[in-house]
Amino acid sequence: MIHIITNHHQTPRWLPTQATYLARYTNQAYKVHCGITEFPEETCLNELISRYDVLKSYEFHKLEGVENNHGTKLGYLADLVTTEEMNGEAPLVFLDPDAFPIQQRWDEFVTSEFNRHPALAISREENPEPLLADDYKPYPHPCFFATTLNFWKEHKLSWEIDPDRGADCAGQVLKKWFDSSKHTWSRLLRTNCYDLHPLNYGVYGNMIYHHGSGNRPVYDSIDIWSRPALARKYGVSMDLHFPELLDFNQGVSDLVFEAINTNSNFIKMYFCGEERE
């Protein structure tokens, strides 16, 4: 049994999409432990569950009492799984709400990688993150991270952050743990043959899709630092001086989201250049 942890915050729009792709491409038995917070309406989730059979593999946990921090919520769900599941060799997979597999046998590839490395993760090395200390790079990103229950539990791993050193993303402190412990992790790198954005709409290892900014404003550090003149003048507050950037990015994001949900071959054909299935 594969245990998948994900957290959907404020919007359920990615739930049917993620669940559909997981059902389509996962061959082994799996269970999704899904955190939900600040959904707009109580009835919204119930309506989705009754409408989409693929959501039957999801076990929902309301996390209103958990600190409103992505890493903390993931850690809370991981504690639930490692407490309840007795098979310590079972795979434990963390997924962002806007991330999911796009290849058959992705789960078999993950478990086979455990013969070489105790963990496998997306590494977004296309994102320069100049304000982040170099010793935090590259780091395993929580949009996709896989290990075993035993490895996560026995080493007391977590998604904590270290904002005092500019490490404000879950995964950067985890990278330092891997360095100090001499354990290794296998990196999934971006394999797009075509990019609409240097960071969003990414395919990694030709296996996992990560939309990026799926449930927050479509604005990341790469939107700043890839525009040097504006970055020097406005820095991280560029969005306040160039709000049209966010509007345009959101429009592109919505367009891609619609294409993904109306054409099951869109990701593979548009971003990977592959034939239809």
Side-chain angles (χ1 to χ4, degrees), residues 3-6 33 61 71-85 92-94 149 152-153 157-159:
H3 293 274
I4 299 171
I5 289 176
T6 188
H33 308 264
H61 304 268
T72 302
K73 294 173 184 177
L74 294 179
Y76 176 86
L77 293 169
D79 287 344
L80 291 180
V81 177
T82 55
T83 299
E84 297 173 356
E85 174 59 50
L92 178 67
V93 178
F94 294 88
L149 289 172
W152 183 268
K153 185 176 182 178
L157 303 185
S158 76
W159 294 107

Side-chain angles (χ1 to χ4, degrees), residues 24-232:
R24 180 182 302 154
Y25 292 112
T26 309
N27 294 327
Q28 302 176 51
Y30 69 95
K31 182 177 182 180
V32 183
H33 308 264
C34 181
I36 55 172
T37 51
E38 298 183 22
F39 274 21
E41 296 179 10
E42 180 67 26
T43 58
C44 179
L45 180 59
N46 294 331
E47 291 172 358
L48 283 174
I49 294 172
S50 63
R51 181 179 175 187
Y52 295 96
D53 287 342
V54 288
L55 287 174
K56 291 179 179 178
S57 63
Y58 279 58
E59 179 179 279
F60 293 97
H61 304 268
K62 296 180 180 180
L63 304 183
E64 280 78 3
V66 180
E67 180 185 352
N68 190 21
N69 173 281
H70 186 57
T72 302
K73 294 173 184 177
L74 294 179
Y76 176 86
L77 293 169
D79 287 344
L80 291 180
V81 177
T82 55
T83 299
E84 297 173 356
E85 174 59 50
M86 295 295 102
N87 179 12
E89 296 307 312
L92 178 67
V93 178
F94 294 88
L95 273 180
D96 267 4
D98 58 346
F100 41 82
I102 60 167
Q103 286 287 6
Q104 293 290 349
R105 295 185 292 278
W106 74 273
D107 45 334
E108 296 172 13
F109 173 79
V110 167
T111 53
S112 68
E113 276 293 284
F114 294 156
N115 295 322
R116 302 172 56 242
H117 306 278
L120 168 71
I122 281 177
S123 181
R124 301 201 302 174
E125 295 176 28
E126 67 274 23
N127 190 6
E129 298 187 89
L131 299 183
L132 180 64
D134 288 339
D135 58 344
Y136 278 121
K137 305 175 188 179
Y139 60 92
H141 200 280
C143 64
F144 175 82
F145 178 91
T147 186
T148 63
L149 289 172
N150 268 346
F151 191 80
W152 183 268
K153 185 176 182 178
E154 290 179 2
H155 295 290
K156 300 179 181 179
L157 303 185
S158 76
W159 294 107
E160 67 177 306
I161 62 175
D162 183 11
D164 292 337
R165 297 197 59 220
D168 59 355
C169 179
Q172 294 159 351
V173 173
L174 186 57
K175 185 266 185 187
K176 294 291 290 180
W177 179 87
F178 274 99
D179 289 348
S180 62
S181 68
K182 307 303 181 183
H183 286 290
T184 59
W185 58 285
S186 180
R187 290 181 284 173
L188 285 182
L189 302 179
R190 191 180 184 100
T191 51
N192 292 50
C193 71
Y194 185 79
D195 289 301
L196 277 180
H197 186 273
L199 183 62
N200 294 334
Y201 326 120
V203 176
Y204 295 84
N206 204 37
M207 185 176 75
I208 303 295
Y209 175 76
H210 181 223
H211 191 78
S213 306
N215 62 343
R216 62 181 176 84
V218 188
Y219 179 63
D220 213 294
S221 64
I222 202 166
D223 289 303
I224 301 168
W225 310 117
S226 57
R227 297 174 171 87
L230 291 177
R232 285 192 295 271

Side-chain angles (χ1 to χ4, degrees), residues 196 211 249-260 262 266:
L196 277 180
H211 191 78
N249 281 358
Q250 187 62 60
V252 174
S253 177
D254 292 341
L255 187 65
V256 175
F257 177 79
E258 180 181 2
I260 290 172
T262 55
F266 178 78

